[in-house]
Amino acid sequence: MMGAPGAAELVSSRRALTLGVGCSIGDHGGTLSNLGQVRRNVEESDGMTYCVGVLLKEAMVFASDSRTHAGVDNFAQFCKMTVFERPGDRVVVLLSSGNLAGTQAVISVLKQRGDAKDAVPNIWTVRTMFDVAVVVSDAMRDIERRDAKHLESSALTFNASFIIGGQIKGEPLRLFRTFAEGNFIEAGPDTPFFQTGEAKYGKPIMDRVITPTTSLTDATKCVLVSFDSTMRSNLSVGMPIDLVCYERDSLKLSMRRRFESGDPYFTALSKEWSEGVRAAFKLLPTLQW
Amino acid sequence: MMGAPGAAELVSSRRALTLGVGCSIGDHGGTLSNLGQVRRNVEESDGMTYCVGVLLKEAMVFASDSRTHAGVDNFAQFCKMTVFERPGDRVVVLLSSGNLAGTQAVISVLKQRGDAKDAVPNIWTVRTMFDVAVVVSDAMRDIERRDAKHLESSALTFNASFIIGGQIKGEPLRLFRTFAEGNFIEAGPDTPFFQTGEAKYGKPIMDRVITPTTSLTDATKCVLVSFDSTMRSNLSVGMPIDLVCYERDSLKLSMRRRFESGDPYFTALSKEWSEGVRAAFKLLPTLQW
């Protein structure tokens, strides 16, 4: 669908790193707001991040942590959420996990292709969320084609994966997740959420709470509780947490929040959850031998 | 410490499979009660089992699931708990995870060496739990030496790991876990439990509840809840669950239980836990945007 980007395309237009609530691209896009000069090759395995996308009947929830590392002696903070928003037309949220150099390059290519004044379909011009997923997949494969053989020489693989969701005018809410090979699956009523990265610690509460008819309020709480469980057990998943909620057919984002370490709401949620779980545990029946 | 077992030693004395509550070796040992003719090469990855050992001040808890598989089309049931008990002298519990052919061979070698009337130190004759761990490690390495090159030809590795715990007269309670390479670590007050296999789903509740001073009653409930969470999320961990609790200085096992599918206590625990967690969730504060 698209040609492989040349080296010049990949390295051009890198600007200073800006971290906001998510990394937003305004109206038409065009600015590259979350790409910085990354001088170190910060390698991040798929287990070293945590991203969740939830597809409800009436809304969607997206959240990502911000920790990356290249070994325990080299932690850093990068936004893993990218928003493509054109109010009244489309809201697309991408959550990245995997090798940071790879995921950043994919996002960069998506943005540059979105800015290009050519006829090649891009994230701003395609008509369905399925085609958005195809555009992301194409970008992944282009980067993989460029980088894979060089990674191999250090026994690394190109391991990016994305959660892609949102709505384009005239379409329903849709949620996808890509695999490292660039193929992807779509969520449905039976499986209304996707997790990438360090998914296991936070999955039990998601399994218990999330259904397509869960309220947005409850789904948001649940996603944050699943982050709390994950961060408690895996140091390589860390604050801040970027959270976006999107209401069906609004075609704009009005609920965004970044939870920094020490955030009063998140701290209260974590404490009350801990106490509630302990209280529930205390009430369990005792085994009679 | 011990020579590599010959092929004859490894294949002799295999008897019909007997599944009890754990797989117990009486007084001096000598009977091989949990080894059967295993005609299929049931390969089991490290993530496809769940075992927990807990070291409390006053007691220990051990539990293991019973599911093995070689692909989703080939599930089977095998006991992963082996008990070496000589009342008044020692209680040693082994929980196995990893490739089933490998773990069974290690247990078989440990039993045969325990039966041998020679001067080579074995699980019945060593004087400390540390030496028990060394004996297990030696058996692992012997099996690895024998099998590894053959597994390599199918791109498999020898991936057995064991949780080893109990008490020998004159010693405190001690708990170890081995790694695939045969080296091992010992639990202490800071880390009073070990998990092997599919550990992540069940770890959050263990992290919240288990400390060295947790009561045996609570630790037992907690271990079972962690099995419930794990089985809910990973089909390759399954009933029955073998559970053993050991009280300090008793030097005999009086609390053993096997939880079959549909066990009334386990079912009630699972249901009440689910309801309690949901109730705790409902009480959490709502995010104000």
Side-chain angles (χ1 to χ4, degrees):
Chain A
M1 191 168 178
M2 299 177 188
E9 184 185 351
L10 284 175
V11 296
S12 66
S13 305
R14 295 213 165 176
R15 299 193 193 165
L17 185 69
T18 310
L19 292 174
V21 177
C23 304
S24 196
I25 318 225
D27 198 19
H28 166 72
T31 55
L32 299 181
S33 64
N34 73 339
L35 288 169
Q37 285 284 358
V38 185
R39 291 196 183 81
R40 298 161 308 164
N41 187 20
V42 180
E43 303 298 345
E44 181 188 338
S45 91
D46 206 42
M48 302 312 165
T49 201
Y50 182 43
C51 296
V52 183
V54 182
L55 175 67
L56 306 170
K57 273 198 158 167
E58 302 298 332
M60 302 184 83
V61 183
F62 300 91
S64 55
D65 84 310
S66 304
R67 190 162 290 174
T68 69
H69 75 94
V72 289
D73 56 342
N74 190 350
F75 278 86
Q77 183 179 317
F78 287 92
C79 180
K80 299 171 191 174
M81 175 184 282
T82 309
V83 176
F84 294 83
E85 178 185 15
R86 187 156 57 199
D89 173 59
R90 69 190 58 202
V91 170
V92 176
V93 181
L94 261 71
L95 307 177
S96 326
S97 64
N99 176 291
L100 185 64
T103 58
Q104 285 195 339
V106 170
I107 297 291
S108 206
V109 163
L110 290 172
K111 290 173 178 174
Q112 293 190 191
R113 290 178 182 175
D115 291 345
K117 306 297 180 203
D118 56 24
V120 179
N122 66 54
I123 215 160
W124 297 108
T125 61
V126 293
R127 289 193 308 162
T128 67
M129 284 300 299
F130 175 83
D131 287 342
V132 167
V134 170
V135 164
V136 174
S137 166
D138 286 345
M140 286 174 65
R141 287 167 175 175
D142 289 339
I143 301 299
E144 209 243 348
R145 211 170 291 131
R146 181 181 145 75
D147 284 353
K149 60 182 176 292
H150 300 280
L151 294 173
E152 267 168 25
S153 66
S154 304
L156 295 167
T157 55
F158 179 79
N159 71 343
S161 56
F162 292 89
I163 290 174
I164 306 162
Q167 188 175 24
I168 293 178
K169 196 176 180 181
E171 272 224 314
L173 299 173
R174 296 178 78 176
L175 179 68
F176 299 84
R177 79 150 285 174
T178 66
F179 298 103
E181 294 77 12
N183 54 342
F184 52 84
I185 55 176
E186 181 170 6
D190 293 329
T191 299
F193 66 88
F194 289 136
Q195 302 167 289
T196 54
E198 179 58 283
K200 292 187 176 184
Y201 295 120
K203 188 162 182 284
I205 188 66
M206 298 288 290
D207 283 336
R208 286 181 199 277
V209 172
I210 302 291
T211 72
T213 56
T214 303
S215 71
L216 177 55
T217 304
D218 277 356
T220 304
K221 276 199 294 190
C222 180
V223 164
L224 291 173
V225 167
S226 88
F227 270 82
D228 181 50
S229 296
T230 306
M231 292 189 301
R232 210 172 263 271
S233 291
N234 188 332
L235 285 181
S236 70
V237 175
M239 304 279 252
I241 299 165
D242 289 310
L243 173 74
V244 158
C245 295
Y246 171 72
E247 287 179 302
R248 183 160 65 89
D249 299 336
S250 65
L251 294 171
K252 69 184 181 62
L253 275 190
S254 52
M255 290 173 284
R256 304 175 176 199
R257 178 87 169 255
R258 166 163 275 209
F259 298 89
E260 299 281 355
S261 181
D263 177 274
Y265 173 74
F266 192 85
T267 305
L269 189 80
S270 173
K271 180 166 167 287
E272 291 188 31
W273 177 241
S274 188
E275 288 166 1
V277 165
R278 281 163 189 272
F281 181 82
K282 282 262 175 265
L283 292 174
L284 292 178
T286 296
L287 176 63
Q288 306 300 326
W289 290 92
Chain B
M1 192 166 176
M2 298 178 188
E9 183 184 353
L10 284 175
V11 297
S12 66
S13 306
R14 295 211 165 177
R15 299 192 194 167
L17 185 68
T18 310
L19 292 173
V21 176
C23 304
S24 195
I25 318 224
D27 197 17
H28 165 73
T31 55
L32 299 182
S33 61
N34 73 340
L35 288 168
Q37 284 285 355
V38 185
R39 291 194 184 80
R40 298 161 308 164
N41 187 20
V42 181
E43 301 299 343
E44 182 188 339
S45 91
D46 205 41
M48 302 314 166
T49 201
Y50 182 43
C51 297
V52 183
V54 182
L55 176 66
L56 306 169
K57 274 199 156 167
E58 303 297 332
M60 303 184 82
V61 182
F62 300 91
S64 55
D65 85 311
S66 304
R67 191 161 289 176
T68 68
H69 76 94
V72 289
D73 57 342
N74 190 351
F75 279 85
Q77 182 178 317
F78 286 92
C79 180
K80 300 172 190 174
M81 176 184 283
T82 309
V83 176
F84 294 82
E85 178 186 15
R86 187 156 56 199
D89 173 59
R90 69 190 58 202
V91 170
V92 176
V93 181
L94 261 71
L95 307 177
S96 326
S97 64
N99 176 291
L100 185 64
T103 58
Q104 286 196 339
V106 170
I107 297 292
S108 206
V109 164
L110 289 173
K111 289 173 179 174
Q112 292 189 194
R113 289 177 182 176
D115 291 344
K117 306 295 180 207
D118 56 25
V120 179
N122 66 54
I123 215 160
W124 297 108
T125 60
V126 294
R127 288 194 308 161
T128 68
M129 284 299 298
F130 175 84
D131 286 342
V132 168
V134 169
V135 164
V136 174
S137 167
D138 286 346
M140 287 174 65
R141 288 168 173 172
D142 289 338
I143 301 299
E144 209 243 348
R145 209 170 292 133
R146 179 180 148 75
D147 283 352
K149 60 182 176 295
H150 301 280
L151 294 173
E152 267 168 26
S153 65
S154 303
L156 296 166
T157 54
F158 180 80
N159 72 344
S161 57
F162 292 89
I163 291 174
I164 307 162
Q167 187 175 25
I168 293 179
K169 194 175 181 182
E171 271 223 315
L173 300 173
R174 296 178 77 176
L175 180 68
F176 299 85
R177 79 151 282 174
T178 66
F179 298 102
E181 295 76 12
N183 54 341
F184 52 84
I185 54 177
E186 181 169 7
D190 294 328
T191 297
F193 66 89
F194 288 135
Q195 302 166 289
T196 54
E198 179 57 283
K200 291 186 177 183
Y201 295 119
K203 187 162 182 282
I205 188 64
M206 298 288 292
D207 283 336
R208 286 181 199 277
V209 172
I210 302 290
T211 71
T213 55
T214 303
S215 71
L216 177 57
T217 302
D218 278 355
T220 304
K221 277 200 290 189
C222 181
V223 164
L224 292 173
V225 168
S226 88
F227 270 82
D228 181 50
S229 297
T230 307
M231 292 189 301
R232 209 173 265 270
S233 293
N234 188 333
L235 286 181
S236 71
V237 175
M239 305 278 250
I241 299 165
D242 290 308
L243 173 74
V244 157
C245 296
Y246 171 72
E247 287 178 302
R248 183 161 64 91
D249 298 336
S250 65
L251 293 172
K252 71 186 181 62
L253 276 189
S254 52
M255 290 173 283
R256 305 174 175 200
R257 177 88 169 255
R258 165 163 276 209
F259 298 90
E260 299 282 354
S261 181
D263 177 275
Y265 173 73
F266 192 84
T267 305
L269 189 80
S270 174
K271 181 166 167 286
E272 292 189 29
W273 177 239
S274 188
E275 289 166 0
V277 165
R278 282 163 188 272
F281 182 82
K282 282 263 174 267
L283 291 175
L284 291 178
T286 296
L287 177 62
Q288 306 300 326
W289 290 91

